[in-house]
Amino acid sequence: MTKNDGLNVGRLVRLTRAEDIPSCLALYDKARRIMRSSGNMNQWTNGYPSEEILRDDVSKSNSYVIEEGGVLVATFACIVGEDPTYAVIEDGSWLVPDVPYATIHRLASTPDSHGIAMSTFDFASSLAPTLRVDTHADNFIMQHVLQGYGFSRRGIIYLANGDPRIAYQFIQ
């Protein structure tokens, strides 16, 4: 069951098109500023997420945008299937490890948009029965949003570069 409280009304979630890439990169810049202003100085550094990563997501049909009134207000990656970085989890476990899932990465929105995470999670829930997300230990905003939606903290996973992330899971 998703938690749609009416915030999705008037919103369109669609695959990202090549012409959306500059707007998505601008959303990443805005998200970095929000992170820095909230004390999260260590996530999304050194140009991450890059245009190359975004183009790869687009080419694999894993990148989505959210439009509101015809204006692009958010972007995210949603990948259905196993994510290699989630194969090993420390200090916890997945609630249901062998159920198909979708992973949400690189969620960014305009600072004045509200309910974007809910719209993202509602959409992703239509693609898979279970959702997984990870976030930086300093990203208190995302941790709060995830817990508010009903995700449960499951443990620590490690990115390909070895950086730890807090892992969350949501089961419909």
Side-chain angles (χ1 to χ4, degrees), residues 16-37:
T16 305
R17 298 185 290 249
E19 60 266 24
D20 298 322
I21 289 174
S23 295
C24 292
L25 293 172
L27 287 170
Y28 290 155
D29 287 340
K30 290 175 185 176
R32 281 187 208 94
R33 285 194 291 275
I34 292 169
M35 287 179 191
R36 301 306 172 259
S37 70

Side-chain angles (χ1 to χ4, degrees), residues 14 96 100 144:
R14 64 168 174 80
V96 284
H144 176 76

Side-chain angles (χ1 to χ4, degrees), residues 149-168:
Y149 190 82
F151 280 82
S152 68
R153 185 177 171 148
R154 303 309 314 150
I156 304 295
I157 58 101
Y158 293 89
L159 304 180
N161 69 3
D163 288 348
R165 293 292 184 265
I166 302 169
Y168 290 84

Side-chain angles (χ1 to χ4, degrees), residues 71-166:
V71 176
L72 196 144
V73 296
T75 185
F76 63 96
C78 184
I79 303 159
V80 178
E82 291 187 26
D83 184 325
T85 60
Y86 288 29
V88 175
I89 186 166
E90 292 182 355
D91 297 326
S93 64
W94 300 114
L95 290 169
V96 284
D98 298 326
V99 172
Y101 62 91
T103 306
I104 300 164
H105 291 295
R106 298 178 283 284
L107 173 59
S109 68
T110 59
D112 55 345
S113 297
H114 300 285
I116 292 297
M118 182 176 292
S119 295
T120 301
F121 304 149
D122 285 352
F123 173 79
S125 292
S126 73
L127 302 178
T130 301
L131 303 178
R132 293 184 184 181
V133 178
D134 64 84
T135 193
H136 194 281
D138 292 340
N139 196 337
F140 299 112
I141 294 171
M142 182 57 83
Q143 291 173 47
H144 176 76
V145 167
L146 290 168
Q147 292 168 354
Y149 190 82
F151 280 82
S152 68
R153 185 177 171 148
R154 303 309 314 150
I156 304 295
I157 58 101
Y158 293 89
L159 304 180
N161 69 3
D163 288 348
R165 293 292 184 265
I166 302 169

